[in-house]
Amino acid sequence: MRVLLVEDDPSLGEGLRTALRRAAYAVDWLQDGASALVAIRDGGIDLVVLDLGLPRKDGLEVIREARRAGATMPILVLSARERAADRMLGLDLGADDYVGKPFDTGELLARVRALLRRSSGHASPMFTHAGLALDPASLTVTWHGRVVDLPRREVALLRLLMEHPGRIVSRETAQQRLYGWDEDVASNAIDVHVHHLRKRLHPGLIRTVRGVGYALDEPAVDA
């Protein structure tokens, strides 16, 4: 899942980017509102974590213009502004949740997970499919009750496929959702991740749609 982080405090921004990446999110970090609005309009963002006190364009204006332009991804506001009026205005303009500074990183990550569940129409905190289970909070994956240790990027790809089992996910979409702008990506990176998932879970779990992408299947248990 791809998160746009908009925070102009270098120390806080770096800490949040690290925490989000450790939680298996691809993160793009910007430090001003005008650049954030351009990124939101370009698309491909699953969730925005947005500070309000930003240079070039205030966070409230970013929310207003993003929603007017038709952006539908969840927006989680971060702000040191304590007035209830500011919080209500942000929510009324189209923000989905609000976290005041200072905040607990664990709580922020829980709110991110909740917003992403809501936006994808997935009510349960767990993803399950044909003997496969994924817990986004702990990044734990089990296959028929057996815990399988996977790198965070492969957990992220598995989650993407498990959001809509059977639906084809293109390589381009998978790459966009797994890697940030500042990360070097090999041309066969997604293919390699799929190969590893098949090897560690089940060879028939992920179906290749030649020239298009991949989809999650229901393999026979004894295959």
Side-chain angles (χ1 to χ4, degrees):
M1 306 296 284
R2 190 165 189 166
V3 175
L4 176 64
L5 170 63
V6 193
E7 170 58 62
D8 65 330
D9 182 294
S11 179
L12 180 56
E14 185 62 47
L16 283 173
R17 179 170 63 177
T18 299
L20 287 163
R21 284 183 172 173
R22 284 176 178 169
Y25 299 108
V27 183
D28 299 313
W29 175 24
L30 297 174
Q31 300 185 44
D32 71 87
S35 298
L37 194 56
V38 171
I40 290 170
R41 287 170 171 168
D42 285 345
I45 303 295
D46 295 298
L47 180 140
V48 180
V49 177
L50 178 71
D51 185 27
L52 292 187
L54 295 167
R56 298 184 65 199
K57 192 178 290 288
D58 183 80
L60 291 175
E61 190 61 28
V62 172
I63 298 170
R64 180 185 288 110
E65 293 188 29
R67 293 311 191 208
R68 282 178 177 171
T72 59
M73 79 287 287
I75 298 176
L76 173 60
V77 169
L78 302 178
S79 181
R81 299 179 186 178
E82 298 180 353
R83 293 194 314 155
D86 287 328
R87 295 195 296 272
M88 289 188 292
L89 179 57
L91 293 169
D92 286 340
L93 287 174
D96 297 272
D97 202 353
Y98 192 106
V99 177
K101 297 179 181 179
F103 54 84
D104 179 80
T105 302
E107 179 186 353
L108 182 140
L109 291 174
R111 290 175 181 267
V112 166
R113 291 191 297 270
L115 289 173
L116 288 172
R117 282 200 308 271
R118 194 180 308 159
S119 68
S120 66
H122 191 88
S124 171
M126 294 283 293
F127 289 86
T128 58
H129 172 77
L132 181 66
L134 188 157
D135 183 351
S138 63
L139 302 183
T140 301
V141 174
T142 59
W143 173 248
H144 289 282
R146 174 178 60 90
V147 176
V148 182
D149 186 26
L150 296 173
R152 64 175 178 85
R153 199 88 70 179
E154 288 168 18
V155 173
L157 176 57
L158 197 58
R159 171 181 170 154
L160 179 61
L161 294 169
M162 291 179 76
E163 282 187 354
H164 302 286
R167 180 181 297 181
I168 299 171
V169 177
S170 71
R171 290 179 179 83
E172 293 76 14
T173 295
Q175 182 170 307
Q176 183 184 61
R177 301 279 290 278
L178 265 66
Y179 291 90
W181 298 321
D182 61 344
E183 297 180 275
D184 293 327
V185 187
S187 60
N188 66 338
I190 302 302
D191 303 305
V192 171
H193 291 321
V194 169
H195 172 75
H196 289 166
L197 287 172
R198 286 172 173 157
K199 183 176 180 181
R200 293 168 182 172
L201 296 169
H202 190 288
L205 184 63
I206 301 174
R207 171 169 49 97
T208 298
V209 182
R210 192 172 300 278
V212 182
Y214 298 100
L216 206 62
D217 267 353
E218 294 192 25
V221 176
D222 57 353

